[in-house]
Amino acid sequence: MEESLPNRDRIPAHVAIIMDGNGRWAESRGISRLRGHRAGLQRVRDVLRASNDLGIQYLTLYAFSLENWNRPKTEVDGLMSLLIEYMERELNEVDRNGIRVRAIGRLDRLPGRVQKAVENAIERTRENSEMTLTFALSYGGRAEIVDAARKMVLDAERGTLLPKSIDEKTFRDYLYDPTLPDPDLLIRTGAEVRVSNFLLWQIAYAEIHNTNVMWPDFQKQNLVDAILDYQGRERRFGMTGSQVREGGS
Ligand code: FPP
């Protein structure tokens, strides 16, 4: 059977992914959870390549949540090591492909060596413009909103922000990365149907695609299927279907 291909003219500009299921994938094979994360890291490489091939401009990956700090120390340490490994080993290929690396989250909580590796990747790829790869690290959506509110209050106290001038656009300027557009498509693997504190502000109008596939099994075809699902939907942004079809009036 011929696989259907996504319409190249309607590729979502920004795809965000909750990469869930590494632990269950590993447990079902009787191997350590860390080996599941390592298999998951391989999928990060593949999915980045596939996203680049498909013409996705922004890929945002939920690599480590604020809640993940509560996992056993060995698992947290293992994930931190994998992050460093990724930032060091993949950087050449990422850079060669014109991909810009960014990170969002409470990055100051990351161990110094992880912060260094992340900063180095961001710095080295700063001028790239082919695609943007953002890692959510030590990230929580509510924390992001709280951090934005704090920064706004500080600016208001300093007199550089007038409370009456605050609107949604101003608020966005205080998020971790104001240049990051809202995701068009949010994918969650691992058979759970939850948002799990990911990009709460930014996913207001995102289309959500859930799959039972565990992240270490996620293939290019699964990404294509998610895009086909997205392309089969009508995005109305609160308008009626006929308004959308008439061009948004
Ligand atoms: C969820 O699986 C995944 C994570 C907590 C971390 C995501 C990490 C990776 C994909 C690998 C490392 C990636 C980078 C970029 C370093 P889970 O452990 O919650 O799975 P479970 O729900 O089955 O237990």
Side-chain angles (χ1 to χ4, degrees):
M1 199 185 84
E2 208 178 304
E3 294 288 358
S4 12
L5 290 171
N7 177 347
R8 299 290 300 200
D9 299 331
R10 284 193 53 227
I11 296 292
H14 183 180
V15 175
I17 309 184
I18 301 176
M19 309 179 287
D20 195 18
N22 295 346
R24 277 165 289 158
W25 181 89
E27 280 156 19
S28 73
R29 285 165 174 72
I31 58 177
S32 72
R33 293 178 58 84
L34 215 46
R35 285 185 61 190
H37 293 313
R38 180 164 283 286
L41 186 64
Q42 185 58 47
R43 297 292 88 73
V44 170
R45 294 184 182 114
D46 302 345
V47 166
L48 176 63
R49 278 186 203 137
S51 301
N52 201 5
D53 290 350
L54 287 162
I56 291 166
Q57 308 232 296
Y58 291 84
L59 177 69
T60 299
L61 302 175
Y62 205 1
F64 193 84
S65 72
L66 276 177
E67 292 74 23
N68 288 155
W69 288 118
N70 300 321
R71 293 198 174 189
K73 186 173 180 313
T74 47
E75 187 169 340
V76 171
D77 289 349
L79 280 165
M80 292 299 133
S81 298
L82 283 183
L83 259 169
I84 293 179
E85 187 178 318
Y86 182 86
M87 296 295 163
E88 289 176 352
R89 287 212 189 144
E90 297 302 307
L91 198 54
N92 282 339
E93 182 181 330
V94 166
D95 193 30
R96 211 173 35 246
N97 285 302
I99 299 167
R100 187 167 64 132
V101 177
R102 310 275 290 166
I104 52 173
R106 288 190 173 162
L107 306 178
D108 55 354
R109 270 190 78 174
L110 296 167
R113 60 199 175 101
V114 179
Q115 287 187 38
K116 255 202 200 120
V118 172
E119 276 161 20
N120 177 49
I122 293 173
E123 204 41 57
R124 202 167 128 198
T125 61
R126 187 175 292 284
E127 302 298 327
N128 292 346
S129 55
E130 194 60 33
M131 185 185 170
T132 299
L133 168 65
T134 303
F135 288 100
L137 298 172
S138 186
Y139 177 88
R142 285 184 175 177
E144 178 172 29
I145 293 169
V146 167
D147 289 349
R150 261 192 214 148
K151 284 184 265 170
M152 287 171 88
V153 171
L154 285 175
D155 279 355
E157 281 174 353
R158 273 192 217 115
T160 54
L161 175 70
L162 288 176
K164 68 173 180 211
S165 73
I166 298 172
D167 55 15
E168 290 183 14
K169 196 181 157 300
T170 329
F171 198 92
R172 175 183 297 276
D173 289 341
Y174 286 84
L175 295 175
Y176 293 136
D177 184 353
T179 67
L180 191 67
D182 287 348
D184 303 289
L185 171 63
L186 171 66
I187 300 173
R188 181 170 187 143
T189 64
E192 307 282 3
V193 188
R194 279 194 293 276
V195 167
S196 293
N197 205 12
F198 190 39
L199 301 176
L200 293 184
W201 174 274
Q202 298 89 336
I203 59 167
Y205 288 102
E207 296 295 330
I208 302 183
H209 175 87
N210 275 94
T211 166
N212 291 340
V213 173
M214 299 290 141
W215 177 251
D217 287 330
F218 194 83
Q219 306 285 331
K220 180 171 185 181
Q221 188 56 47
N222 300 114
L223 178 63
V224 167
D225 289 345
I227 294 174
L228 289 170
D229 182 16
Y230 166 87
Q231 291 184 339
R233 301 189 199 176
E234 179 179 66
R235 301 186 78 199
R236 292 201 292 274
F237 299 99
M239 293 185 282
T240 65
S242 52
Q243 280 177 308
V244 172
R245 287 185 288 277
E246 281 157 21
S249 54

